[in-house]
Amino acid sequence: MVKSGDLVRWENKDLVPHLVADISLQKWQSQNLLPNDSFTLKIKNPTSYICKHHPTMQAKLVSQD
Amino acid sequence: MKNINYFKKFAFVLLAIAFIGCAHAMESSNDSSNKLTDANIAAIVVGANKIDISAGKIALDRSQNNQVREFAQRMVTDHQSVLDSAVKLVTRLGVSPKNNDLVHALAKQSSEHEVKLKSLTGKEFDRLYIDHEVAYHEAVIEVVKTQLIPGANNQDLKDTLVSVLPAFDAHLAHCKNIQASL
């Protein structure tokens, strides 16, 4: 559960690269995240997100507002 | 339909080889616990990743389909990353990969598959490459879950095998989506 203004951090604990982006692929995206890299985003509007490298990997940030 | 049956058969054969290979390893192992050795598992992991990297490079060389090329590049990148991590881990653990019947069978099947791939172009190539990727990932995921993870003695090796499954599942889902569109 997140609310607007929260900082959300994605950490790549996997053995392969990932690239996280909003589900529309138009609002925001991380850099290419190699294993052990991380990405932090200040959330404006909680949204669904996707791994651009592995498009079947999808999840959702749930709003607490 | 003929292709689907062929690849179901391929996946079954690969799994059968895996079980036979593991049974053979259990019989011939000096390990009194009668488990597939970590050296065998390391060799399987190295071999299986190299096979998919090689197939991906052939697809990048021959396919004109953007979806297929994007998937092939992902296979090369991801399986190289897994391979690098596996080699780093076994080096740290002092384990020397030891080939067994499964590794030899995988290498033989891969060699035959690559000959077929290199004889095709266009949509025929794309279908063979993607159909095989679906069958290969299904079989590898099953072998990792049922044979390699339970068989791994070293906890770091076991954890590494567990950690690759989400990416392999994503690869399978990705190539199934492409398969449906071809």
Side-chain angles (χ1 to χ4, degrees), chain A residues 14-17 35 52-57, chain B residues 74 78 81-82 160 163-164 166 170 173 177:
Chain A
D14 221 338
L15 298 181
V16 300
K52 278 183 82 172
H53 294 334
H54 309 96
T56 59
M57 288 184 165
Chain B
R74 181 54 36 209
D78 282 3
S81 187
V82 173
T160 296
S163 71
V164 301
N177 285 345

Side-chain angles (χ1 to χ4, degrees), chain B residues 46-119:
Chain B
V46 168
N49 280 289
K50 281 184 175 176
I51 284 169
D52 218 35
I53 292 166
S54 181
K57 286 180 177 174
I58 293 171
L60 286 171
D61 190 43
R62 298 185 78 83
S63 179
Q64 301 298 316
N65 180 305
N66 285 339
Q67 272 188 303
V68 172
R69 292 180 58 79
E70 189 181 340
F71 176 79
Q73 182 58 61
R74 181 54 36 209
M75 294 306 98
V76 172
T77 301
D78 282 3
H79 287 286
Q80 186 65 54
S81 187
V82 173
L83 178 60
D84 291 345
S85 295
V87 169
K88 200 172 170 182
L89 174 64
V90 296
T91 301
R92 180 166 63 78
L93 297 176
V95 173
S96 298
K98 186 178 178 185
N99 289 344
N100 65 357
D101 289 350
L102 175 58
V103 177
H104 293 307
L106 280 171
K108 184 170 180 292
Q109 282 187 338
S110 168
S111 178
E112 292 168 357
H113 174 55
E114 291 192 1
V115 169
K116 285 181 195 167
L117 279 177
K118 288 174 181 173
S119 72

